[in-house]
């Protein structure tokens, strides 16, 4: 793009931008002829996909801003009307990030101007409350303004349809086409009023539903330390725990209240190194039975336990298996489901219990669509324990259920680690790990995927690659997706899945090896062998991918 064309495009965008902050940002860049910064903002358009929109805040079509959100809302409205949903209700929720309230208001205005009805949640609330409200209110769609656990300068736009689950193809492409058809914001009516702001009843109804995830006569004695990770989870989780009769959680005070700058963490994601340090410090003083952490929009739930003299995070796969086994012990019926990047242990738990099991593509947009779903989880700390109420991951109800399990074990003089040991003896030690590479240049991810496709590894960790699958071709049970799956020879039933993250600039590699265990006395050596195998796979995979 020539400099004159770039400046003209920026000036045209600025002229219709409704936000004085981003107008001023563009005015300064145009005035200083900063073509490098302008080129970054106008190199294309932030793409609307199955994760909706997510990106850095700022001016221009490659950033998250009010202009981009208004176009997205108008595209969604046109899509809904094209599906015969004119006059239908769209529920809008939002978190406490920078600009979230503005984006929610713009969405409500666009829906109203398009002839749909709009209702906005009363204040910043957890994403699962929005997912619940869609089904509860009989809406035709829902929008959650959130960037979940992304860095502070990001925001996002997540779209649900009337079944209460996130969009999947082809809806994403059809909405994207409607967005692309919008020529100018002047064509998008945005009245100043006409939508509804919901009262607290919707939250109260959600909270009443959370009681249903617990057994009526279960013990409620486990003590917790809780962090909201500077997000919106605190008030809802505390209310849910109080209703359930659990001891009031000890709060990590520095992270308890919403703060869009996330001052105590580099990334507000419990999985990131250092993010749980303040929680561990609080636990060393309070000596609880477990630590619970939500991510900023509270749809994920992290769990930490005391292991020896200190605390450690449980992997998402460990929590996923614990919750599954707990539900089985309570007599749960229905389909147990997980995504392909999660541990195969869930399938073995379901098989032994005589329950149906399904594997889906990555993301709760797929897990939530499984017919007859009773329980679904994904290794990235997402758990759906009440699919009839929330057809998405829910960090509040998951926290309740894992605290019920901890209470049950506490009454027996046992811990979550003891329960994990039992699962390893019953099904083999399912050792999992992840090789995750964050990049500044997305071309690095493209190059790594191309390298693996052009020259697939013949062996990893000394184990022959028995089968290499390019998931862009799809499988007998899965639609196409950008990923690679390697199944390795040998008794460890090892497997590797490589895929670009859908929400962050990361290449993610998911590893699993199943180490046979005969008795509890074998666990230490099995864990050492699992670590050895996974470390060797990581080393060889890094070399093959050039990362």
């Amino acid at each position: 793009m020539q400099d004159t064309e770039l400046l003209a495009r920026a000036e045209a965008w600025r002229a219709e931008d409704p936000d004085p902050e981003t107008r001023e940002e563009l005015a300064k860049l145009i005035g200083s002829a900063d073509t490098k910064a302008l080129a970054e903002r106008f190199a294309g358009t932030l793409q609307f996909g199955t994760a909706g929109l997510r990106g850095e805040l700022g001016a221009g079509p490659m950033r998250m801003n009010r202009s981009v959100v208004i176009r997205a809302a108008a595209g969604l409205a046109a899509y809904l009307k094209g599906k015969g949903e004119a006059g239908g209700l769209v529920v809008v929720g939002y978190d406490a990030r920078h600009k979230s309230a503005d984006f929610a208001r713009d969405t409500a205005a666009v829906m109203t101007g398009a002839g749909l009805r709009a209702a906005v949640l009363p204040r910043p609330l957890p994403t699962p409350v929005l997912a619940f409200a869609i089904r509860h209110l009989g809406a035709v769609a829902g929008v959650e303004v959130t960037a979940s656990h992304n860095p502070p300068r990001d925001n996002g736009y997540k779209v649900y349809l009337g079944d209460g689950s996130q969009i999947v193809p082809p809806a994403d492409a059809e909405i994207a086409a409607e967005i692309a058809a919008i020529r100018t914001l002047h064509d998008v009516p945005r009245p100043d009023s006409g939508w509804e702001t919901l009262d607290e009843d919707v939250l109260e109804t959600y909270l009443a539903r959370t009681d249903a995830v617990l057994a009526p006569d279960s013990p409620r004695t486990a003590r917790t330390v809780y962090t909201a990770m500077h997000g919106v989870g605190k008030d809802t989780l505390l209310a849910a725990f109080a209703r359930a009769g659990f001891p009031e959680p000890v709060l990590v005070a520095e992270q308890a209240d919403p703060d869009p700058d996330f001052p105590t963490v580099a990334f507000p994601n419990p999985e990131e190194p250092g993010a749980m340090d303040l929680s561990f410090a609080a636990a060393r003083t309070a000596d609880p039975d477990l630590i619970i952490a939500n991510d900023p929009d509270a749809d994920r739930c992290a769990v930490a336990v005391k292991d020896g003299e200190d605390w450690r995070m449980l992997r998402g796969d460990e929590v996923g298996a614990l919750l599954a086994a707990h539900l089985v012990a309570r007599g749960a019926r229905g389909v147990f489901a997980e995504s392909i990047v999660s541990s195969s242990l869930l399938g073995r738990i379901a098989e032994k219990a005589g329950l149906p099991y399904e594997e889906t593509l990555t993301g709760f947009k797929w897990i939530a669509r499984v017919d007859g779903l009773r329980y679904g989880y994904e290794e990235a700390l997402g758990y759906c324990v009440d699919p009839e109420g929330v057809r998405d991951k829910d960090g509040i109800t998951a926290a309740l259920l894992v605290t019920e399990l901890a209470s049950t074990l506490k009454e027996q003089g046992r811990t979550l680690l003891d329960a994990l040991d039992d699962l390893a003896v019953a099904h083999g030690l399912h050792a999992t790990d992840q090789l995750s590479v964050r990049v500044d240049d997305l071309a690095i991810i493209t190059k790594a995927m191309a390298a693996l496709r052009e020259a697939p590894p013949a062996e990893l960790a000394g184990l022959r690659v028995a089968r290499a699958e390019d998931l862009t071709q799809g499988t007998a049970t899965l639609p196409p997706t950008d990923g690679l799956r390697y199944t390795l020879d040998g008794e460890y039933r090892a497997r590797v899945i490589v895929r670009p993250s859908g929400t962050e600039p990361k290449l993610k590699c998911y590893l699993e090896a199943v180490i046979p265990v005969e008795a509890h006395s074998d666990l230490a050596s099995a864990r050492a062998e699992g670590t050895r195998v996974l470390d060797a796979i990581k080393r060889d995979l890094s070399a093959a991918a050039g990362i």
Side-chain angles (χ1 to χ4, degrees), residues 408-449:
T408 302
L409 292 165
K410 184 179 182 179
E411 297 297 294
Q412 302 166 1
R414 305 174 74 240
T415 68
L416 295 176
L417 292 180
D418 293 323
L420 284 171
D421 287 350
D422 291 347
L423 288 172
V425 172
H427 304 284
L429 177 71
H430 287 62
T432 61
D433 203 353
Q434 190 180 130
L435 172 63
S436 181
V437 182
R438 184 182 291 273
V439 300
D440 293 323
D441 181 3
L442 291 175
I444 295 171
I445 294 176
T446 304
K447 191 177 298 183
M449 293 296 288

Side-chain angles (χ1 to χ4, degrees), residues 231-280:
V232 298
K234 180 192 72 174
D235 292 345
T236 304
L237 182 130
L238 290 180
F241 270 55
R243 290 179 65 100
F246 287 114
E248 183 177 355
V250 174
L251 297 178
V252 178
E254 302 94 328
Q255 299 174 335
D257 295 318
D259 187 331
D261 294 319
F262 304 104
T264 68
V265 289
F267 294 97
N269 178 356
E271 293 180 294
E272 293 284 348
M276 294 290 287
D277 286 356
L278 289 172
S279 299
F280 295 158

Side-chain angles (χ1 to χ4, degrees), residues 467-488:
R467 185 171 58 181
E469 299 171 274
D470 187 342
L471 298 177
T472 55
Q473 308 303 310
T475 73
T477 57
L478 297 171
T481 188
D482 186 8
L484 300 164
R485 179 163 60 182
Y486 305 117
T487 304
L488 310 185

Side-chain angles (χ1 to χ4, degrees), residues 83-436:
K83 296 294 182 182
E85 303 289 5
L89 175 67
V90 178
V91 188
V92 185
Y94 59 104
D95 66 10
R97 283 178 177 265
H98 293 294
K99 297 291 183 181
S100 286
D102 293 337
F103 295 168
R105 185 185 185 281
D106 283 331
T107 299
V110 170
M111 296 301 161
T112 303
L116 292 140
R117 293 179 295 126
V120 182
L121 294 186
R123 53 192 167 87
L125 287 168
T127 292
V129 178
L130 181 276
F132 167 81
I134 295 166
R135 291 166 65 83
H136 173 63
L137 298 174
V140 300
V143 171
E144 177 70 19
V145 180
T146 181
S148 188
H149 54 273
N150 276 39
R153 284 300 302 168
D154 287 5
N155 213 327
Y157 198 81
K158 188 184 293 189
V159 176
Y160 298 75
L161 294 182
D163 63 354
S165 56
Q166 297 173 51
I167 56 169
V168 295
D172 56 343
E174 293 172 3
I175 295 169
E178 295 287 2
I179 295 170
I182 297 161
R183 295 176 302 163
T184 170
L185 293 191
H186 300 308
D187 295 337
V188 181
R190 285 182 291 126
D192 292 327
S193 61
W195 58 89
E196 177 186 4
T197 299
L198 296 168
D199 59 25
E200 296 291 319
D201 284 352
V202 67
L203 177 60
E204 285 303 312
T205 310
Y206 166 81
L207 286 169
R209 178 86 199 183
T210 63
D211 296 345
V213 306
L214 303 175
D217 57 349
S218 63
R220 313 283 168 92
T221 55
R223 297 169 53 251
T224 57
V225 159
Y226 171 71
T227 177
M229 206 67 69
H230 297 297
V232 298
K234 180 192 72 174
D235 292 345
T236 304
L237 182 130
L238 290 180
F241 270 55
R243 290 179 65 100
F246 287 114
E248 183 177 355
V250 174
L251 297 178
V252 178
E254 302 94 328
Q255 299 174 335
D257 295 318
D259 187 331
D261 294 319
F262 304 104
T264 68
V265 289
F267 294 97
N269 178 356
E271 293 180 294
E272 293 284 348
M276 294 290 287
D277 286 356
L278 289 172
S279 299
F280 295 158
R284 291 180 194 114
T285 300
D287 194 29
D289 298 296
L290 71 165
I291 299 170
I292 298 288
N294 286 138
D295 67 338
D297 69 327
D299 63 350
R300 299 170 195 250
C301 175
V303 180
V305 296
K306 196 167 189 180
D307 189 0
E309 293 302 310
D310 212 348
W311 291 79
R312 76 166 176 94
M313 272 265 292
L314 295 181
R315 292 186 175 278
D317 283 321
E318 292 176 309
V319 177
L322 286 169
L323 292 179
H326 182 49
L327 289 171
V328 166
R330 280 182 26 186
R333 309 305 297 171
V335 181
F336 279 39
E338 64 181 340
S339 64
I340 58 173
V341 299
S342 304
S343 171
S344 59
L345 177 55
L346 182 68
R348 295 188 172 89
I349 292 170
E351 181 182 20
K352 188 170 183 179
L355 295 173
Y357 162 79
E358 285 198 30
E359 194 177 57
T360 74
L361 291 184
T362 309
F364 267 83
K365 57 185 175 283
W366 298 107
I367 295 171
R369 284 183 159 73
V370 169
D371 287 339
L373 181 68
R374 175 58 186 87
Y375 169 68
Y377 98 92
E378 190 158 66
E379 58 76 41
L381 311 183
Y383 315 95
C384 177
V385 303
D386 177 25
E388 290 306 307
V390 176
R391 294 195 77 82
D392 197 5
K393 54 188 178 292
D394 183 345
I396 305 298
T397 50
L400 287 171
L401 194 63
V402 77
T403 307
E404 177 186 65
L405 172 58
S407 299
T408 302
L409 292 165
K410 184 179 182 179
E411 297 297 294
Q412 302 166 1
R414 305 174 74 240
T415 68
L416 295 176
L417 292 180
D418 293 323
L420 284 171
D421 287 350
D422 291 347
L423 288 172
V425 172
H427 304 284
L429 177 71
H430 287 62
T432 61
D433 203 353
Q434 190 180 130
L435 172 63
S436 181

Side-chain angles (χ1 to χ4, degrees), residues 64-75:
M64 282 295 296
N65 51 65
R66 290 183 61 196
S67 296
V68 165
V69 164
I70 290 166
R71 283 179 165 81

